[in-house]
Amino acid sequence: MNRSFVRVFAGLVSLLLTLSVVAKTEVSGVRAVAKADSTRLVLELNQTPTFRKFHLTSPNRLVLDLQDTSTQLPSSLFNLDDPRINNVRAARRGNGVRLVFDLADDFPSKAFTLEGPARLVVDLLGAQAVTAQPTANTDVAPAAPAAPAAPVVTPSGPPRDIIVAIDPGHGGKDPGALGRGGVREKDVVLKISQRLKAEFDRTPGFKGVLTRTGDTFIPLGKRPQIARDQNADFFVSMHADSFPKDSRVYGGGVYALSLRGATSETARWLAKRENAVDLSHGVDLGDVEADIRRVLLNMSMDSAIRISKQAGTQVIGEMKGVGRMHRRQLEQANFVVLRSPDIPSLLIELGFLSNDQDVARLTNTAEQKKIAAAIRRGIVRYFENAPPPNTQLYLDTRGTPTAPAAPAALEYKVQRGDTLSAIASRNGISLSALRQANQLSGDSIRVGQKLLIPRS
Ligand SMILES: [Zn+2]
């Protein structure tokens, strides 16, 4: 190559590099306006986007792939309050982003872009979904997605127990967090997991199974597989924290999986740490991106997350009653161990092994039993509200196995600092579903008010 060519070529490369840095599209705002015959969805952008739009059915979804687009998305995207849109999810796709809108019906759509300022407009066409039967129970929002998380169970055979898989974190060559007085996370969580299993085994209609019964190392990816092999209805991974830099930090936390990213710095930090433990042992976690992409379009995953969140809210409520919590609200983080497409899952951090009081509590037999009982109560409470068909609990709470599931709603007491949209998001339901279930027209709620959280 001659020199001038090289210079031109180098110039081109740097120009392209500059362009590719500058060219990232950003979504700055999202709004939806519903009319009787259509919903207009408007994405405000810094430049006209390159996009692809398509629909998926069962359940009905609208998918928008935005190329070269930042994954920093405005929160308004996830708080759309529209009768035609039940839920919105997003994930990185290549160097862009994929937005998935769960629709209340199979609305056809038209999409076009506008300039100055740049906008992407999608019109969802068709009258909005109406309640299927006017005689149906009216305390459940009509537009919520229908698919249950539990696989369809064949109605034959005797009623079965609800199986809760309990996953004591770490083990074997991986001690987990190391705490005061030589306490190791792997030992503490195994002990409490065994007590939790005993709690479930004592509860009629439930059975506990453990992913490890001894001091053995099991890769993260294998743990949900063990649960699946046992036909688990629920998966709970047990951990303890350590924060040696500040031994005053204390308390437990309850985490559900999030595909949107972590809800707080703590959740982000934890996910990084708990995931890294396994990575450092050279376990192949596969293509995480591809994995997320695959499950993103999987309704059962979405439903599993919703169930996880609702059960998690019950568990954290019970845990608050028996001990100190570091985080008083359910958090969401992207934990590898929870990334199971079909089993609702929670990760529980029992406390900080770097804190003397927490160590005393977590190693004391009576306290361990109290903690295990609280976790069991939270999970059982969730299932009592929403028993899977063909289970003993379903029979006990619903009568006959063929009776249609009564609409289940959980009760939640409004706490200081709560907003209606935060409560909806924590429970994985839309703001409009929450409003509808409680016959609220606006957003105002008061501390102590009891809200019905529709299950689906
Ligand atoms: Zn851990």
Side-chain angles (χ1 to χ4, degrees):
M1 281 188 281
N2 67 47
R3 198 171 292 163
S4 69
F5 179 81
V6 169
R7 208 175 301 129
V8 169
F9 183 74
L12 260 175
V13 166
S14 77
L15 177 68
L16 281 171
L17 282 174
T18 314
L19 277 177
S20 72
V21 169
V22 175
K24 204 87 174 165
T25 301
E26 274 172 41
V27 182
S28 55
V30 180
R31 59 201 146 86
V33 181
K35 284 187 280 187
D37 58 347
S38 66
T39 283
R40 171 156 287 189
L41 181 68
V42 181
L43 275 67
E44 289 152 8
L45 310 125
N46 63 335
Q47 59 189 356
T48 312
T50 308
F51 74 99
R52 194 165 72 102
K53 174 198 76 124
F54 58 95
H55 283 256
L56 293 168
T57 53
S58 350
N60 295 302
R61 282 152 293 170
L62 162 74
V63 182
L64 287 177
D65 281 339
L66 303 174
Q67 266 129 56
D68 283 315
T69 298
S70 161
T71 49
Q72 295 287 333
L73 296 162
S75 59
S76 55
L77 172 66
F78 303 107
N79 292 314
L80 292 177
D81 183 16
D82 185 273
R84 292 181 182 80
I85 301 169
N86 285 336
N87 193 26
V88 184
R89 290 161 288 149
R92 182 196 305 277
R93 188 174 169 82
N95 53 3
V97 69
R98 166 166 286 187
L99 308 180
V100 179
F101 300 84
D102 293 326
L103 303 180
D105 209 340
D106 70 349
F107 303 113
S109 68
K110 272 189 330 206
F112 54 95
T113 56
L114 293 169
E115 316 253 328
R119 277 152 296 165
L120 168 57
V121 181
V122 182
D123 285 335
L124 295 166
L125 307 167
Q128 71 186 67
V130 289
T131 322
Q133 299 135 322
T135 49
N137 243 309
T138 50
D139 57 352
V140 164
V152 178
V153 190
T154 48
S156 59
R160 60 177 187 87
D161 287 335
I162 290 172
I163 296 166
V164 179
I166 303 150
D167 173 48
H170 313 278
K173 63 185 176 182
D174 169 17
L178 300 172
R180 312 277 280 193
V183 174
R184 298 179 301 185
E185 178 180 0
K186 65 173 183 177
D187 302 324
V188 172
V189 297
L190 179 60
K191 200 78 211 155
I192 297 176
S193 296
Q194 284 164 336
R195 297 198 190 285
L196 183 55
K197 174 184 157 47
E199 282 279 339
F200 280 113
D201 290 346
R202 270 200 298 275
T203 308
F206 284 84
K207 197 181 140 214
V209 295
L210 292 165
T211 57
R212 70 173 172 97
T213 52
D215 187 15
T216 46
F217 175 76
I218 303 167
L220 284 182
K222 255 214 173 124
R223 293 169 185 257
Q225 187 55 50
I226 295 170
R228 212 170 289 128
D229 292 345
Q230 302 272 358
N231 296 315
D233 297 279
F234 203 86
F235 178 87
V236 53
S237 193
M238 309 280 281
H239 290 262
D241 267 318
S242 175
F243 193 58
K245 263 189 239 163
D246 186 349
S247 61
R248 290 167 303 180
V249 177
Y250 67 87
V254 181
Y255 299 82
L257 174 69
S258 165
L259 293 179
R260 277 181 217 154
T263 48
S264 74
E265 271 308 317
T266 315
R268 209 166 295 141
W269 172 77
L270 256 178
K272 211 168 150 194
R273 219 201 43 185
E274 298 288 11
N275 292 344
V277 168
D278 216 46
L279 284 169
S280 68
H281 289 292
V283 176
D284 180 17
L285 295 170
D287 182 358
V288 169
E289 281 291 307
D291 189 42
I292 293 178
R293 234 176 289 142
R294 182 173 54 77
V295 298
L296 185 73
L297 295 173
N298 184 326
M299 187 59 201
S300 74
M301 180 77 189
D302 192 42
S303 180
I305 293 176
R306 194 170 52 242
I307 292 173
S308 306
K309 284 165 123 183
Q310 297 190 355
T313 303
Q314 298 290 326
V315 170
I316 204 163
E318 292 292 339
M319 284 182 75
K320 274 182 211 169
V322 298
R324 314 178 300 173
M325 298 303 279
H326 179 60
R327 290 271 165 183
R328 302 187 64 81
Q329 306 280 19
L330 179 75
E331 302 267 346
Q332 284 191 275
N334 204 345
F335 292 110
V336 169
V337 74
L338 296 185
R339 217 176 284 147
S340 172
D342 45 5
I343 308 174
S345 314
L346 291 177
L347 186 140
I348 298 179
E349 294 281 354
L350 295 159
F352 282 82
L353 300 182
S354 44
N355 177 271
D356 286 331
Q357 284 107 305
D358 273 6
V359 168
R361 211 163 67 85
L362 296 177
T363 53
N364 174 284
T365 303
E367 292 295 321
Q368 288 179 341
K369 284 182 179 167
K370 267 200 239 171
I371 294 165
I375 297 170
R376 189 259 305 155
R377 279 198 302 275
I379 294 172
V380 168
R381 177 159 305 163
Y382 169 75
F383 277 110
E384 279 171 352
N385 282 300
N390 206 33
T391 57
Q392 188 58 50
L393 187 69
Y394 189 100
L395 279 182
D396 294 347
T397 54
R398 299 288 147 85
T400 77
T402 49
L410 301 170
E411 208 177 66
Y412 176 76
K413 205 155 139 199
V414 175
Q415 304 192 359
R416 198 168 298 281
D418 273 342
T419 63
L420 207 57
S421 65
I423 295 169
S425 142
R426 277 207 302 275
N427 286 285
I429 55 174
S430 73
L431 187 55
S432 57
L434 184 59
R435 277 206 199 108
Q436 208 155 350
N438 293 280
Q439 282 147 12
L440 298 170
S441 49
D443 281 343
S444 86
I445 44 173
R446 57 188 162 70
V447 174
Q449 184 177 353
K450 285 185 178 160
L451 294 176
L452 285 177
I453 311 291
R455 185 186 159 249
S456 61

